[in-house]
Amino acid sequence: MEQIIPKITLNDGLKLPVVGLGTYTLRGSEGVQSIVNAIRSGYRLLDSAYNYENEGTVGEAVRRSAVPREELIIASKLPGRYHTYDKAVKAIQESLYRAQLDYYDLYLIHWPNPIQGHYVEAWQALIDAKKWGLIRSIGVSNFLPDHLDRLVEETGVTPSVNQIELHPFFNQAEQCKYHEEHGIITESWSPLAHGNEVLNHELLRQIAERHGKSVSQIILRWHYQLGAVSIPKSASAARQLENLFLFDFALDEGEMDRISGLTRPDGRLRNQDPAVYEEF
């Protein structure tokens, strides 16, 4: 049963489905089948990364799918070890070769790596790759407002997306407000917080029972009403489909506030603070 997913328009005109499939750990033939199942269920946004080592898996699933390539939004990310301009250009090309795709719809810088300090070079490589037709839309991941300000000041180009850790235990309200003020779409990684603690939380279970929905559906609806694009990962066809049934109910303002109120100062799942964290 294919679900129709609403879309949001980025600052460069690309339309992004409000729910996509996270593909981290989906590899090999099993990964291909999981992604094909997801596309069959209605997913049109597939999120990958160079460092996930599964761009080939995603590309193979795209080729095996009955859905035309132009109807899919395929995303990947540049790793930190290739932030200098020449390395970034080659890595983007390598990403395409791995997936056997002619272009990516969305390509992000995975982390700013501020200690290394080459993220503006990497951004310039993405800007040029877009001009060359290798990428349709360019964005970043895990960038703080200071990093984003520097990109715009030095290149004049605002990212279309910033993919950040966002879930009920870490609601990133100030970061999301910054995005809204600057025309950047928030994309949520680990939207379900990667664990049973959030899925078994009493408040969320009560809200889910009230709406006749699963806790996962409640959390993903919360992301949607925040204006964020979520990319839940699941290899299960049943859970993939469940995660798309978000558009036949709504959370009221009180429910939204109570879910947002679950946030914690130490809510990051792996203590990966973009101000100091380095990913290679």
Side-chain angles (χ1 to χ4, degrees), residues 125-138:
L126 266 64
I127 292 169
D128 290 344
K130 182 180 178 182
K131 291 177 182 175
W132 301 331
L134 302 181
I135 307 168
R136 294 178 65 199
S137 184
I138 55 176

Side-chain angles (χ1 to χ4, degrees), residues 32-53:
V32 169
Q33 190 56 53
S34 292
I35 297 168
V36 169
N37 289 340
I39 296 171
R40 186 180 299 124
S41 293
Y43 287 86
R44 295 295 179 265
L45 168 61
L46 308 176
D47 179 80
S48 182
Y50 198 108
N51 274 353
Y52 297 172
E53 297 184 343

Side-chain angles (χ1 to χ4, degrees), residues 5-8 10 12-23 35 39 42-48 58 62 67-76 101 103-108 135-138 160-161 187 229 231:
I5 307 171
K7 294 180 179 179
I8 194 165
L10 306 184
D12 56 13
L14 183 70
K15 295 183 185 299
L16 208 63
V18 298
V19 181
L21 181 74
T23 68
I35 297 168
I39 296 171
Y43 287 86
R44 295 295 179 265
L45 168 61
L46 308 176
D47 179 80
S48 182
V58 172
V62 169
V67 174
R69 164 68 183 96
E70 59 270 18
E71 294 181 17
L72 299 172
I73 302 294
I74 314 301
S76 196
L101 296 173
Y103 64 91
Y104 276 105
D105 300 275
L106 180 64
Y107 204 85
L108 314 177
I135 307 168
R136 294 178 65 199
S137 184
I138 55 176
S160 62
V161 165
E187 195 173 31
V229 173
I231 45 171

Side-chain angles (χ1 to χ4, degrees), residues 17 37 49 53 87 153 155 232:
N37 289 340
E53 297 184 343
K87 288 182 178 179
E153 287 168 6
T155 70

